[in-house]
Amino acid sequence: MKPSELEMQAGGCVCKKVRYSLIGSPLRVTICHCTWCQRRTGSAFGVELVFHEDQVLFHPDTLSVYRHISDESGRWLDQHFCNNCGSSIGLTLESVPSIQSISVGTLDKQNWSELTNLERRHVFVRSARQWSDIPGDVEQYEEHFRN
Ligand SMILES: [Zn+2]
Ligand SMILES: [Zn+2]
């Protein structure tokens, strides 16, 4: 892996008004099958790169935040998005302080080699779509791994 790859990655939304830079590698990848992630992404699951908040620098022209209160835990989850094009950029969570996640599809370099070596966790598999095939040998949790 090239050192430059580790030092800085970038990404952003569809319309390019929200951009970010990443310093270093993500801590892990969380693949979340909860119904909230299904709705917020409009897809079958959310795929989030988990960073420490200090590793993520936003260029926040139009970065907006929607605060959702979990009906299960009562805690807040902030969805970061572009208020121009609506792209989902990432999340912060009351339950995991100092973490900023980045939605994997917003990375400029989808072939970032670092990602293939990261720890991957499938969470909330209890609500996974029937046709979302999860390999049997990956780390997976019925709910969250902290439970
Ligand atoms: Zn945008
Ligand atoms: Zn989720």
Side-chain angles (χ1 to χ4, degrees), residues 77-126:
L77 308 91
D78 280 350
Q79 301 176 214
H80 300 248
F81 64 99
C82 172
N83 69 16
N84 190 48
C85 70
S87 301
S88 237
I89 304 294
L91 304 170
T92 48
L93 311 153
E94 184 179 8
S95 58
V96 198
S98 310
I99 287 297
Q100 169 75 55
S101 83
I102 289 291
S103 303
V104 73
T106 63
L107 271 181
D108 289 347
K109 257 182 101 179
Q110 289 297 330
N111 60 353
W112 185 10
S113 59
E114 183 77 352
L115 301 182
T116 54
N117 301 319
L118 287 173
E119 183 183 357
R120 275 181 222 125
R121 289 172 177 158
H122 286 258
V123 299
F124 286 99
V125 297
R126 68 179 183 187

mmCIF file of all heavy atoms in Angstrom, residues 77-126:
data_model
loop_
_atom_site.group_PDB
_atom_site.id
_atom_site.type_symbol
_atom_site.label_atom_id
_atom_site.label_comp_id
_atom_site.label_asym_id
_atom_site.label_seq_id
_atom_site.Cartn_x
_atom_site.Cartn_y
_atom_site.Cartn_z
ATOM 1 N N LEU A 77 -29.366 9.857 16.689
ATOM 2 C CA LEU A 77 -28.458 9.500 15.601
ATOM 3 C C LEU A 77 -28.553 10.650 14.602
ATOM 4 O O LEU A 77 -29.650 11.002 14.176
ATOM 5 C CB LEU A 77 -28.894 8.207 14.911
ATOM 6 C CG LEU A 77 -29.169 6.961 15.783
ATOM 7 C CD1 LEU A 77 -30.636 6.907 16.181
ATOM 8 C CD2 LEU A 77 -28.769 5.696 15.048
ATOM 9 N N ASP A 78 -27.442 11.262 14.262
ATOM 10 C CA ASP A 78 -27.453 12.371 13.314
ATOM 11 C C ASP A 78 -27.071 11.881 11.922
ATOM 12 O O ASP A 78 -26.011 11.276 11.736
ATOM 13 C CB ASP A 78 -26.464 13.467 13.752
ATOM 14 C CG ASP A 78 -27.046 14.362 14.846
ATOM 15 O OD1 ASP A 78 -28.259 14.255 15.126
ATOM 16 O OD2 ASP A 78 -26.278 15.165 15.412
ATOM 17 N N GLN A 79 -27.940 12.145 10.977
ATOM 18 C CA GLN A 79 -27.665 11.802 9.582
ATOM 19 C C GLN A 79 -27.101 13.040 8.892
ATOM 20 O O GLN A 79 -27.737 14.082 8.868
ATOM 21 C CB GLN A 79 -28.955 11.414 8.858
ATOM 22 C CG GLN A 79 -29.671 10.243 9.460
ATOM 23 C CD GLN A 79 -31.002 9.951 8.767
ATOM 24 O OE1 GLN A 79 -31.943 9.523 9.417
ATOM 25 N NE2 GLN A 79 -31.092 10.165 7.456
ATOM 26 N N HIS A 80 -25.917 12.922 8.345
ATOM 27 C CA HIS A 80 -25.289 14.029 7.634
ATOM 28 C C HIS A 80 -25.564 13.855 6.147
ATOM 29 O O HIS A 80 -25.342 12.790 5.600
ATOM 30 C CB HIS A 80 -23.773 14.033 7.894
ATOM 31 C CG HIS A 80 -23.434 14.171 9.349
ATOM 32 N ND1 HIS A 80 -22.834 15.276 9.880
ATOM 33 C CD2 HIS A 80 -23.650 13.335 10.382
ATOM 34 C CE1 HIS A 80 -22.679 15.128 11.180
ATOM 35 N NE2 HIS A 80 -23.163 13.949 11.514
ATOM 36 N N PHE A 81 -26.027 14.927 5.527
ATOM 37 C CA PHE A 81 -26.406 14.820 4.122
ATOM 38 C C PHE A 81 -26.195 16.146 3.412
ATOM 39 O O PHE A 81 -26.013 17.185 4.050
ATOM 40 C CB PHE A 81 -27.863 14.361 3.989
ATOM 41 C CG PHE A 81 -28.865 15.344 4.556
ATOM 42 C CD1 PHE A 81 -29.545 16.214 3.723
ATOM 43 C CD2 PHE A 81 -29.118 15.385 5.919
ATOM 44 C CE1 PHE A 81 -30.470 17.119 4.235
ATOM 45 C CE2 PHE A 81 -30.040 16.293 6.445
ATOM 46 C CZ PHE A 81 -30.715 17.158 5.610
ATOM 47 N N CYS A 82 -26.208 16.104 2.115
ATOM 48 C CA CYS A 82 -26.110 17.322 1.317
ATOM 49 C C CYS A 82 -27.511 17.869 1.093
ATOM 50 O O CYS A 82 -28.377 17.162 0.581
ATOM 51 C CB CYS A 82 -25.447 17.021 -0.025
ATOM 52 S SG CYS A 82 -25.509 18.445 -1.142
ATOM 53 N N ASN A 83 -27.727 19.126 1.455
ATOM 54 C CA ASN A 83 -29.082 19.669 1.299
ATOM 55 C C ASN A 83 -29.361 20.149 -0.121
ATOM 56 O O ASN A 83 -30.441 20.637 -0.422
ATOM 57 C CB ASN A 83 -29.376 20.764 2.332
ATOM 58 C CG ASN A 83 -28.574 22.025 2.091
ATOM 59 O OD1 ASN A 83 -28.009 22.233 1.021
ATOM 60 N ND2 ASN A 83 -28.512 22.874 3.101
ATOM 61 N N ASN A 84 -28.381 19.977 -0.974
ATOM 62 C CA ASN A 84 -28.619 20.301 -2.386
ATOM 63 C C ASN A 84 -29.024 19.067 -3.183
ATOM 64 O O ASN A 84 -30.037 19.060 -3.861
ATOM 65 C CB ASN A 84 -27.360 20.934 -2.980
ATOM 66 C CG ASN A 84 -27.601 21.511 -4.355
ATOM 67 O OD1 ASN A 84 -28.575 22.232 -4.568
ATOM 68 N ND2 ASN A 84 -26.739 21.168 -5.302
ATOM 69 N N CYS A 85 -28.248 17.980 -3.055
ATOM 70 C CA CYS A 85 -28.544 16.778 -3.855
ATOM 71 C C CYS A 85 -29.118 15.644 -3.025
ATOM 72 O O CYS A 85 -29.593 14.655 -3.565
ATOM 73 C CB CYS A 85 -27.298 16.314 -4.600
ATOM 74 S SG CYS A 85 -26.021 15.621 -3.532
ATOM 75 N N GLY A 86 -29.069 15.751 -1.687
ATOM 76 C CA GLY A 86 -29.687 14.738 -0.832
ATOM 77 C C GLY A 86 -28.829 13.518 -0.531
ATOM 78 O O GLY A 86 -29.283 12.612 0.169
ATOM 79 N N SER A 87 -27.593 13.500 -1.025
ATOM 80 C CA SER A 87 -26.747 12.327 -0.764
ATOM 81 C C SER A 87 -26.496 12.138 0.724
ATOM 82 O O SER A 87 -26.252 13.093 1.452
ATOM 83 C CB SER A 87 -25.385 12.490 -1.445
ATOM 84 O OG SER A 87 -25.521 12.651 -2.821
ATOM 85 N N SER A 88 -26.537 10.890 1.168
ATOM 86 C CA SER A 88 -26.180 10.513 2.535
ATOM 87 C C SER A 88 -24.667 10.508 2.657
ATOM 88 O O SER A 88 -23.985 9.827 1.896
ATOM 89 C CB SER A 88 -26.670 9.078 2.773
ATOM 90 O OG SER A 88 -27.523 9.019 3.849
ATOM 91 N N ILE A 89 -24.126 11.255 3.617
ATOM 92 C CA ILE A 89 -22.669 11.366 3.719
ATOM 93 C C ILE A 89 -22.122 10.531 4.871
ATOM 94 O O ILE A 89 -21.053 9.931 4.768
ATOM 95 C CB ILE A 89 -22.248 12.838 3.941
ATOM 96 C CG1 ILE A 89 -22.802 13.725 2.822
ATOM 97 C CG2 ILE A 89 -20.729 12.962 4.038
ATOM 98 C CD1 ILE A 89 -22.228 13.450 1.461
ATOM 99 N N GLY A 90 -22.828 10.519 5.998
ATOM 100 C CA GLY A 90 -22.326 9.772 7.149
ATOM 101 C C GLY A 90 -23.205 9.994 8.359
ATOM 102 O O GLY A 90 -24.276 10.583 8.260
ATOM 103 N N LEU A 91 -22.711 9.520 9.487
ATOM 104 C CA LEU A 91 -23.503 9.517 10.715
ATOM 105 C C LEU A 91 -22.644 9.854 11.917
ATOM 106 O O LEU A 91 -21.436 9.570 11.933
ATOM 107 C CB LEU A 91 -24.053 8.109 10.990
ATOM 108 C CG LEU A 91 -24.886 7.426 9.925
ATOM 109 C CD1 LEU A 91 -25.104 5.976 10.329
ATOM 110 C CD2 LEU A 91 -26.199 8.146 9.731
ATOM 111 N N THR A 92 -23.291 10.436 12.935
ATOM 112 C CA THR A 92 -22.733 10.423 14.287
ATOM 113 C C THR A 92 -23.823 9.871 15.197
ATOM 114 O O THR A 92 -25.020 9.999 14.896
ATOM 115 C CB THR A 92 -22.297 11.832 14.765
ATOM 116 O OG1 THR A 92 -23.339 12.759 14.504
ATOM 117 C CG2 THR A 92 -21.044 12.294 14.048
ATOM 118 N N LEU A 93 -23.392 9.248 16.281
ATOM 119 C CA LEU A 93 -24.319 8.519 17.144
ATOM 120 C C LEU A 93 -24.073 8.873 18.603
ATOM 121 O O LEU A 93 -22.919 8.877 19.042
ATOM 122 C CB LEU A 93 -24.099 7.000 16.987
ATOM 123 C CG LEU A 93 -24.050 6.460 15.566
ATOM 124 C CD1 LEU A 93 -23.211 5.207 15.497
ATOM 125 C CD2 LEU A 93 -25.449 6.169 15.081
ATOM 126 N N GLU A 94 -25.133 9.138 19.327
ATOM 127 C CA GLU A 94 -24.994 9.411 20.754
ATOM 128 C C GLU A 94 -24.353 8.226 21.474
ATOM 129 O O GLU A 94 -23.556 8.395 22.385
ATOM 130 C CB GLU A 94 -26.377 9.696 21.375
ATOM 131 C CG GLU A 94 -26.304 10.072 22.842
ATOM 132 C CD GLU A 94 -27.676 10.376 23.446
ATOM 133 O OE1 GLU A 94 -28.703 10.159 22.795
ATOM 134 O OE2 GLU A 94 -27.689 10.829 24.604
ATOM 135 N N SER A 95 -24.654 7.033 21.008
ATOM 136 C CA SER A 95 -24.177 5.836 21.706
ATOM 137 C C SER A 95 -22.699 5.548 21.473
ATOM 138 O O SER A 95 -22.105 4.749 22.191
ATOM 139 C CB SER A 95 -25.011 4.625 21.279
ATOM 140 O OG SER A 95 -24.925 4.462 19.888
ATOM 141 N N VAL A 96 -22.103 6.183 20.453
ATOM 142 C CA VAL A 96 -20.678 5.960 20.178
ATOM 143 C C VAL A 96 -19.994 7.324 20.038
ATOM 144 O O VAL A 96 -19.737 7.782 18.932
ATOM 145 C CB VAL A 96 -20.453 5.130 18.890
ATOM 146 C CG1 VAL A 96 -19.050 4.535 18.871
ATOM 147 C CG2 VAL A 96 -21.485 4.031 18.746
ATOM 148 N N PRO A 97 -19.695 7.989 21.162
ATOM 149 C CA PRO A 97 -19.133 9.337 21.110
ATOM 150 C C PRO A 97 -17.793 9.368 20.360
ATOM 151 O O PRO A 97 -17.055 8.378 20.368
ATOM 152 C CB PRO A 97 -18.917 9.697 22.584
ATOM 153 C CG PRO A 97 -19.737 8.743 23.376
ATOM 154 C CD PRO A 97 -19.850 7.499 22.546
ATOM 155 N N SER A 98 -17.499 10.497 19.724
ATOM 156 C CA SER A 98 -16.224 10.756 19.044
ATOM 157 C C SER A 98 -16.032 9.978 17.751
ATOM 158 O O SER A 98 -14.933 9.930 17.204
ATOM 159 C CB SER A 98 -15.021 10.456 19.959
ATOM 160 O OG SER A 98 -15.190 11.078 21.201
ATOM 161 N N ILE A 99 -17.097 9.368 17.267
ATOM 162 C CA ILE A 99 -17.014 8.616 16.019
ATOM 163 C C ILE A 99 -17.743 9.390 14.924
ATOM 164 O O ILE A 99 -18.767 10.014 15.167
ATOM 165 C CB ILE A 99 -17.681 7.219 16.220
ATOM 166 C CG1 ILE A 99 -16.796 6.319 17.077
ATOM 167 C CG2 ILE A 99 -18.036 6.565 14.908
ATOM 168 C CD1 ILE A 99 -15.456 5.982 16.485
ATOM 169 N N GLN A 100 -17.175 9.384 13.735
ATOM 170 C CA GLN A 100 -17.865 9.922 12.552
ATOM 171 C C GLN A 100 -17.830 8.834 11.493
ATOM 172 O O GLN A 100 -16.744 8.398 11.106
ATOM 173 C CB GLN A 100 -17.150 11.176 12.045
ATOM 174 C CG GLN A 100 -17.622 11.665 10.685
ATOM 175 C CD GLN A 100 -18.982 12.362 10.724
ATOM 176 O OE1 GLN A 100 -19.173 13.306 11.472
ATOM 177 N NE2 GLN A 100 -19.914 11.890 9.908
ATOM 178 N N SER A 101 -18.982 8.398 11.058
ATOM 179 C CA SER A 101 -18.962 7.410 9.986
ATOM 180 C C SER A 101 -19.095 8.114 8.642
ATOM 181 O O SER A 101 -19.609 9.226 8.550
ATOM 182 C CB SER A 101 -20.079 6.382 10.160
ATOM 183 O OG SER A 101 -21.291 6.870 9.632
ATOM 184 N N ILE A 102 -18.596 7.441 7.643
ATOM 185 C CA ILE A 102 -18.665 7.931 6.265
ATOM 186 C C ILE A 102 -19.308 6.833 5.416
ATOM 187 O O ILE A 102 -18.876 5.673 5.463
ATOM 188 C CB ILE A 102 -17.247 8.254 5.737
ATOM 189 C CG1 ILE A 102 -16.692 9.519 6.421
ATOM 190 C CG2 ILE A 102 -17.224 8.405 4.220
ATOM 191 C CD1 ILE A 102 -17.380 10.823 6.045
ATOM 192 N N SER A 103 -20.340 7.193 4.684
ATOM 193 C CA SER A 103 -21.022 6.218 3.828
ATOM 194 C C SER A 103 -20.082 5.815 2.700
ATOM 195 O O SER A 103 -19.575 6.669 1.968
ATOM 196 C CB SER A 103 -22.308 6.818 3.265
ATOM 197 O OG SER A 103 -23.144 7.234 4.329
ATOM 198 N N VAL A 104 -19.858 4.516 2.577
ATOM 199 C CA VAL A 104 -18.745 4.039 1.743
ATOM 200 C C VAL A 104 -18.884 4.453 0.277
ATOM 201 O O VAL A 104 -17.895 4.724 -0.396
ATOM 202 C CB VAL A 104 -18.587 2.502 1.881
ATOM 203 C CG1 VAL A 104 -19.694 1.757 1.162
ATOM 204 C CG2 VAL A 104 -17.220 2.054 1.397
ATOM 205 N N GLY A 105 -20.104 4.586 -0.187
ATOM 206 C CA GLY A 105 -20.313 4.923 -1.598
ATOM 207 C C GLY A 105 -19.905 6.341 -1.958
ATOM 208 O O GLY A 105 -19.832 6.680 -3.139
ATOM 209 N N THR A 106 -19.619 7.186 -0.949
ATOM 210 C CA THR A 106 -19.245 8.575 -1.237
ATOM 211 C C THR A 106 -17.736 8.760 -1.424
ATOM 212 O O THR A 106 -17.289 9.858 -1.749
ATOM 213 C CB THR A 106 -19.719 9.535 -0.108
ATOM 214 O OG1 THR A 106 -19.063 9.175 1.117
ATOM 215 C CG2 THR A 106 -21.226 9.466 0.075
ATOM 216 N N LEU A 107 -16.970 7.698 -1.214
ATOM 217 C CA LEU A 107 -15.513 7.791 -1.415
ATOM 218 C C LEU A 107 -15.190 8.025 -2.886
ATOM 219 O O LEU A 107 -15.804 7.424 -3.766
ATOM 220 C CB LEU A 107 -14.844 6.471 -1.020
ATOM 221 C CG LEU A 107 -14.395 6.225 0.404
ATOM 222 C CD1 LEU A 107 -13.746 4.844 0.456
ATOM 223 C CD2 LEU A 107 -13.427 7.279 0.884
ATOM 224 N N ASP A 108 -14.222 8.872 -3.146
ATOM 225 C CA ASP A 108 -13.771 9.057 -4.531
ATOM 226 C C ASP A 108 -13.104 7.795 -5.066
ATOM 227 O O ASP A 108 -13.311 7.397 -6.190
ATOM 228 C CB ASP A 108 -12.757 10.209 -4.622
ATOM 229 C CG ASP A 108 -13.415 11.563 -4.402
ATOM 230 O OD1 ASP A 108 -14.656 11.648 -4.428
ATOM 231 O OD2 ASP A 108 -12.660 12.527 -4.182
ATOM 232 N N LYS A 109 -12.284 7.190 -4.210
ATOM 233 C CA LYS A 109 -11.485 6.036 -4.646
ATOM 234 C C LYS A 109 -12.085 4.759 -4.089
ATOM 235 O O LYS A 109 -11.747 4.333 -2.990
ATOM 236 C CB LYS A 109 -10.055 6.175 -4.120
ATOM 237 C CG LYS A 109 -9.053 6.627 -5.166
ATOM 238 C CD LYS A 109 -7.668 6.687 -4.582
ATOM 239 C CE LYS A 109 -6.836 5.492 -4.961
ATOM 240 N NZ LYS A 109 -5.468 5.602 -4.390
ATOM 241 N N GLN A 110 -12.969 4.158 -4.825
ATOM 242 C CA GLN A 110 -13.622 2.946 -4.331
ATOM 243 C C GLN A 110 -12.661 1.758 -4.301
ATOM 244 O O GLN A 110 -12.945 0.739 -3.676
ATOM 245 C CB GLN A 110 -14.860 2.628 -5.176
ATOM 246 C CG GLN A 110 -16.004 3.614 -4.945
ATOM 247 C CD GLN A 110 -16.540 3.603 -3.513
ATOM 248 O OE1 GLN A 110 -16.507 2.579 -2.838
ATOM 249 N NE2 GLN A 110 -17.013 4.742 -3.032
ATOM 250 N N ASN A 111 -11.532 1.884 -4.952
ATOM 251 C CA ASN A 111 -10.557 0.789 -4.939
ATOM 252 C C ASN A 111 -9.461 1.006 -3.884
ATOM 253 O O ASN A 111 -8.391 0.418 -3.970
ATOM 254 C CB ASN A 111 -9.929 0.613 -6.323
ATOM 255 C CG ASN A 111 -9.206 1.870 -6.779
ATOM 256 O OD1 ASN A 111 -9.277 2.911 -6.119
ATOM 257 N ND2 ASN A 111 -8.505 1.780 -7.892
ATOM 258 N N TRP A 112 -9.744 1.859 -2.916
ATOM 259 C CA TRP A 112 -8.803 2.089 -1.808
ATOM 260 C C TRP A 112 -8.453 0.737 -1.187
ATOM 261 O O TRP A 112 -9.292 0.092 -0.572
ATOM 262 C CB TRP A 112 -9.475 2.999 -0.794
ATOM 263 C CG TRP A 112 -8.631 3.444 0.344
ATOM 264 C CD1 TRP A 112 -7.296 3.291 0.499
ATOM 265 C CD2 TRP A 112 -9.093 4.129 1.512
ATOM 266 N NE1 TRP A 112 -6.889 3.845 1.685
ATOM 267 C CE2 TRP A 112 -7.966 4.363 2.329
ATOM 268 C CE3 TRP A 112 -10.353 4.563 1.948
ATOM 269 C CZ2 TRP A 112 -8.064 5.013 3.566
ATOM 270 C CZ3 TRP A 112 -10.443 5.213 3.169
ATOM 271 C CH2 TRP A 112 -9.303 5.436 3.965
ATOM 272 N N SER A 113 -7.211 0.317 -1.323
ATOM 273 C CA SER A 113 -6.843 -1.052 -0.959
ATOM 274 C C SER A 113 -6.982 -1.315 0.532
ATOM 275 O O SER A 113 -7.206 -2.442 0.958
ATOM 276 C CB SER A 113 -5.405 -1.336 -1.412
ATOM 277 O OG SER A 113 -4.534 -0.408 -0.789
ATOM 278 N N GLU A 114 -6.876 -0.265 1.321
ATOM 279 C CA GLU A 114 -6.998 -0.399 2.771
ATOM 280 C C GLU A 114 -8.316 -1.068 3.175
ATOM 281 O O GLU A 114 -8.382 -1.807 4.150
ATOM 282 C CB GLU A 114 -6.916 1.003 3.386
ATOM 283 C CG GLU A 114 -6.954 1.049 4.890
ATOM 284 C CD GLU A 114 -5.622 0.642 5.506
ATOM 285 O OE1 GLU A 114 -4.721 0.182 4.791
ATOM 286 O OE2 GLU A 114 -5.516 0.774 6.714
ATOM 287 N N LEU A 115 -9.349 -0.826 2.406
ATOM 288 C CA LEU A 115 -10.690 -1.259 2.821
ATOM 289 C C LEU A 115 -10.848 -2.770 2.835
ATOM 290 O O LEU A 115 -11.622 -3.312 3.624
ATOM 291 C CB LEU A 115 -11.749 -0.647 1.900
ATOM 292 C CG LEU A 115 -11.770 0.878 1.866
ATOM 293 C CD1 LEU A 115 -12.884 1.367 0.963
ATOM 294 C CD2 LEU A 115 -11.906 1.458 3.264
ATOM 295 N N THR A 116 -10.129 -3.452 1.988
ATOM 296 C CA THR A 116 -10.317 -4.896 1.911
ATOM 297 C C THR A 116 -9.785 -5.608 3.153
ATOM 298 O O THR A 116 -10.190 -6.723 3.441
ATOM 299 C CB THR A 116 -9.612 -5.473 0.666
ATOM 300 O OG1 THR A 116 -8.244 -5.061 0.713
ATOM 301 C CG2 THR A 116 -10.255 -4.966 -0.611
ATOM 302 N N ASN A 117 -8.888 -4.947 3.882
ATOM 303 C CA ASN A 117 -8.298 -5.587 5.061
ATOM 304 C C ASN A 117 -9.013 -5.229 6.361
ATOM 305 O O ASN A 117 -8.647 -5.719 7.417
ATOM 306 C CB ASN A 117 -6.830 -5.158 5.193
ATOM 307 C CG ASN A 117 -6.039 -5.528 3.974
ATOM 308 O OD1 ASN A 117 -6.213 -6.616 3.433
ATOM 309 N ND2 ASN A 117 -5.194 -4.622 3.507
ATOM 310 N N LEU A 118 -10.008 -4.397 6.287
ATOM 311 C CA LEU A 118 -10.643 -3.931 7.512
ATOM 312 C C LEU A 118 -11.565 -4.980 8.114
ATOM 313 O O LEU A 118 -12.141 -5.798 7.404
ATOM 314 C CB LEU A 118 -11.479 -2.682 7.223
ATOM 315 C CG LEU A 118 -10.713 -1.404 6.972
ATOM 316 C CD1 LEU A 118 -11.684 -0.325 6.534
ATOM 317 C CD2 LEU A 118 -9.969 -0.964 8.220
ATOM 318 N N GLU A 119 -11.705 -4.869 9.404
ATOM 319 C CA GLU A 119 -12.686 -5.683 10.111
ATOM 320 C C GLU A 119 -14.087 -5.260 9.661
ATOM 321 O O GLU A 119 -14.385 -4.075 9.593
ATOM 322 C CB GLU A 119 -12.513 -5.408 11.604
ATOM 323 C CG GLU A 119 -13.380 -6.215 12.497
ATOM 324 C CD GLU A 119 -13.185 -5.803 13.962
ATOM 325 O OE1 GLU A 119 -12.331 -4.939 14.249
ATOM 326 O OE2 GLU A 119 -13.912 -6.344 14.789
ATOM 327 N N ARG A 120 -14.922 -6.216 9.323
ATOM 328 C CA ARG A 120 -16.289 -5.923 8.868
ATOM 329 C C ARG A 120 -17.287 -6.555 9.809
ATOM 330 O O ARG A 120 -17.166 -7.718 10.148
ATOM 331 C CB ARG A 120 -16.529 -6.514 7.476
ATOM 332 C CG ARG A 120 -16.065 -5.618 6.409
ATOM 333 C CD ARG A 120 -16.351 -6.215 5.040
ATOM 334 N NE ARG A 120 -15.164 -5.964 4.263
ATOM 335 C CZ ARG A 120 -14.450 -6.868 3.637
ATOM 336 N NH1 ARG A 120 -14.831 -8.107 3.622
ATOM 337 N NH2 ARG A 120 -13.364 -6.536 3.002
ATOM 338 N N ARG A 121 -18.257 -5.780 10.195
ATOM 339 C CA ARG A 121 -19.285 -6.307 11.083
ATOM 340 C C ARG A 121 -20.649 -6.101 10.459
ATOM 341 O O ARG A 121 -21.004 -4.979 10.128
ATOM 342 C CB ARG A 121 -19.265 -5.573 12.422
ATOM 343 C CG ARG A 121 -18.075 -5.893 13.272
ATOM 344 C CD ARG A 121 -18.054 -4.979 14.471
ATOM 345 N NE ARG A 121 -16.940 -5.315 15.344
ATOM 346 C CZ ARG A 121 -16.408 -4.480 16.216
ATOM 347 N NH1 ARG A 121 -16.891 -3.256 16.332
ATOM 348 N NH2 ARG A 121 -15.411 -4.855 16.983
ATOM 349 N N HIS A 122 -21.393 -7.178 10.353
ATOM 350 C CA HIS A 122 -22.799 -7.067 9.946
ATOM 351 C C HIS A 122 -23.625 -6.958 11.210
ATOM 352 O O HIS A 122 -23.549 -7.844 12.081
ATOM 353 C CB HIS A 122 -23.230 -8.305 9.161
ATOM 354 C CG HIS A 122 -22.680 -8.356 7.768
ATOM 355 N ND1 HIS A 122 -23.422 -8.039 6.660
ATOM 356 C CD2 HIS A 122 -21.430 -8.671 7.322
ATOM 357 C CE1 HIS A 122 -22.675 -8.165 5.580
ATOM 358 N NE2 HIS A 122 -21.459 -8.546 5.949
ATOM 359 N N VAL A 123 -24.397 -5.889 11.343
ATOM 360 C CA VAL A 123 -25.202 -5.710 12.551
ATOM 361 C C VAL A 123 -26.683 -5.602 12.184
ATOM 362 O O VAL A 123 -27.036 -5.325 11.046
ATOM 363 C CB VAL A 123 -24.744 -4.479 13.373
ATOM 364 C CG1 VAL A 123 -23.292 -4.650 13.811
ATOM 365 C CG2 VAL A 123 -24.917 -3.187 12.589
ATOM 366 N N PHE A 124 -27.511 -5.843 13.180
ATOM 367 C CA PHE A 124 -28.975 -5.862 13.018
ATOM 368 C C PHE A 124 -29.397 -6.817 11.899
ATOM 369 O O PHE A 124 -30.303 -6.516 11.124
ATOM 370 C CB PHE A 124 -29.529 -4.444 12.800
ATOM 371 C CG PHE A 124 -29.522 -3.619 14.067
ATOM 372 C CD1 PHE A 124 -28.505 -2.707 14.320
ATOM 373 C CD2 PHE A 124 -30.505 -3.799 15.031
ATOM 374 C CE1 PHE A 124 -28.477 -1.967 15.508
ATOM 375 C CE2 PHE A 124 -30.485 -3.061 16.224
ATOM 376 C CZ PHE A 124 -29.470 -2.151 16.454
ATOM 377 N N VAL A 125 -28.747 -7.976 11.874
ATOM 378 C CA VAL A 125 -29.106 -8.952 10.839
ATOM 379 C C VAL A 125 -30.516 -9.516 11.067
ATOM 380 O O VAL A 125 -31.091 -10.114 10.170
ATOM 381 C CB VAL A 125 -28.080 -10.107 10.725
ATOM 382 C CG1 VAL A 125 -26.719 -9.587 10.310
ATOM 383 C CG2 VAL A 125 -27.971 -10.880 12.022
ATOM 384 N N ARG A 126 -31.078 -9.246 12.243
ATOM 385 C CA ARG A 126 -32.464 -9.709 12.489
ATOM 386 C C ARG A 126 -33.442 -9.093 11.487
ATOM 387 O O ARG A 126 -34.477 -9.673 11.212
ATOM 388 C CB ARG A 126 -32.890 -9.366 13.923
ATOM 389 C CG ARG A 126 -33.047 -7.867 14.158
ATOM 390 C CD ARG A 126 -33.490 -7.500 15.552
ATOM 391 N NE ARG A 126 -33.677 -6.042 15.603
ATOM 392 C CZ ARG A 126 -33.934 -5.346 16.689
ATOM 393 N NH1 ARG A 126 -34.025 -5.965 17.853
ATOM 394 N NH2 ARG A 126 -34.090 -4.048 16.647
#
